Amino acid sequence: MDLALLRTFVTVHRAGSFTRAAALLGLSQPAVTSQIRTLERQLGRPLFLRQARGVTPTTIGDELAHKAAPHLDALVEITETGLDADSSLRTLHLAGPPEFTAERALPALTELIGDDGHGFALRASFGNAEETLEGLSAGHHDLAISTARPRGALLTATPLCDEEHVLVAAPRWVARIDSDKLRLQGAPALENLPVVEVHESLPFIARYWASVFDSLPAASGTVIVPDLRAVLACATTGAGLAVLPRYLCGPALERGDVVALSEPTVPPLRTYFLVVRTGTLAMPHIARAHEWLMRAATGWS
């Protein structure tokens, strides 16, 4: 069986469409279609069902992909690095949300650079869940951290850790909030107070309000900055209330720079997923980074 045909097949299986696979392979879409038809004729079985948008693998297609992909990835590994090349020359391309990637993932992964002569070079990029998963699907990244679990067979996601969210404000706001009213009435006690958020839609505030107060926030954003570290800085200076991950605001809470306004019995949580293209964990540098992050996450609180 022609390995080129198998490579095209696995790329289509991962990409979910002939068009996207053609772009990844540097081929025309008709060439990809022709190669898949040739492989289907050789096997005597259909490998994909054509849909209005993209393709869906048949049972035989899934079985072939699961058997062939790891071996093809291993061959690509040999081809790209060379038989005598040092694995430390491999480059890992990581993508994820800026704050979590900077504060959690990168410090953990940098321990692998040059470690025991088997490290790798590291390249990181930041983006939201949609951008990150699209880039991973297109082959721009090797490993992605996402707050959304991807659908379909192209990507494989593993829960990495849970992130606890905390409602905080600078100490000077505490005197202006009736703690008894907050405990008994919840959200109404916080109405008309300024809010610091990452987006006009108030994603963190809205999620917290829905989970803890079972209501929608009545306030609008006073300060909008697209980075949670900037949100913390603004909240620390007294700009308003904010909902932040505990890992990010924990040191500020310990120093008293901000105060937790509510301590719900069941705090709101958000799950992070570690995502790869299906089959690429056969590549040693991706597998090692994946395993290292999973191990590091057991110590994150």
Side-chain angles (χ1 to χ4, degrees):
M1 187 177 294
D2 190 339
L3 288 179
L5 297 183
L6 277 179
R7 179 169 178 256
T8 298
F9 160 73
V10 169
T11 304
V12 172
H13 186 274
R14 288 173 171 169
S17 81
F18 287 169
T19 302
R20 184 178 294 175
L24 293 172
L25 293 166
L27 300 173
S28 66
Q29 183 174 334
V32 170
T33 302
S34 176
Q35 289 187 23
I36 295 301
R37 286 175 177 168
T38 299
L39 185 58
E40 288 177 328
R41 284 196 301 270
Q42 291 180 2
L43 296 173
R45 304 289 290 275
L47 298 173
F48 296 104
L49 299 176
R50 278 65 170 177
Q51 307 289 343
R53 293 185 177 181
V55 293
T56 301
T58 63
T59 302
I60 296 298
D62 269 334
E63 183 179 347
L64 178 60
H66 292 152
K67 288 181 178 179
H71 301 290
L72 285 170
D73 289 334
L75 289 173
V76 171
E77 177 85 2
I78 293 171
T79 302
E80 291 183 354
T81 60
L83 292 174
D84 299 321
D86 191 325
S87 63
S88 64
L89 298 178
R90 295 294 299 171
T91 298
L92 179 81
H93 294 270
L94 173 73
E99 306 88 356
F100 186 88
T101 304
E103 299 290 330
R104 291 297 205 198
L106 288 176
L109 286 178
T110 51
E111 297 181 25
L112 287 177
I113 296 176
D115 179 54
D116 297 330
H118 297 289
F120 46 73
L122 181 60
R123 300 290 183 270
S125 60
F126 300 145
N128 59 36
E130 182 179 0
E131 295 167 342
T132 296
L133 294 179
E134 284 184 357
L136 180 64
S137 299
H140 301 315
H141 317 308
D142 300 315
L143 192 61
I145 298 169
S146 172
T147 54
R149 182 192 287 271
R151 297 179 179 179
L154 172 61
L155 303 177
T156 299
T158 306
L160 178 63
C161 65
D162 289 328
E163 170 186 89
E164 178 188 347
H165 288 175
V166 187
L167 176 63
V168 302
R172 72 181 184 87
W173 285 106
V174 176
R176 300 179 60 174
I177 298 172
D178 188 326
S179 58
D180 290 332
K181 185 178 179 181
L182 177 61
R183 179 171 51 83
L184 296 173
Q185 299 182 15
L190 303 175
E191 289 182 2
N192 303 317
L193 294 178
V195 168
V196 187
E197 256 283 13
V198 296
H199 190 271
E200 296 288 355
S201 63
L202 309 184
F204 283 83
I205 292 288
R207 190 181 300 115
Y208 191 96
W209 257 236
S211 175
V212 176
F213 303 131
D214 194 26
S215 66
L216 296 174
S220 58
T222 302
V223 178
I224 303 295
V225 285
D227 189 296
L228 289 173
R229 291 162 295 191
V231 170
L232 174 59
C234 292
T236 300
T237 60
L241 312 182
V243 172
L244 291 164
R246 185 172 289 277
Y247 79 83
L248 192 62
C249 66
L253 285 168
E254 293 178 2
R255 293 191 302 268
D257 296 338
V258 292
V259 177
L261 301 180
S262 174
E263 294 287 354
T265 304
V266 181
L269 300 175
R270 182 169 66 164
T271 301
Y272 283 95
F273 298 93
L274 200 53
V275 191
V276 297
R277 289 187 302 283
T278 301
T280 57
L281 284 179
M283 293 183 162
H285 70 299
I286 298 178
R288 192 164 187 229
H290 188 282
E291 179 185 358
W292 196 266
L293 283 175
M294 292 298 298
R295 187 185 308 162
T298 62
W300 295 340
S301 58

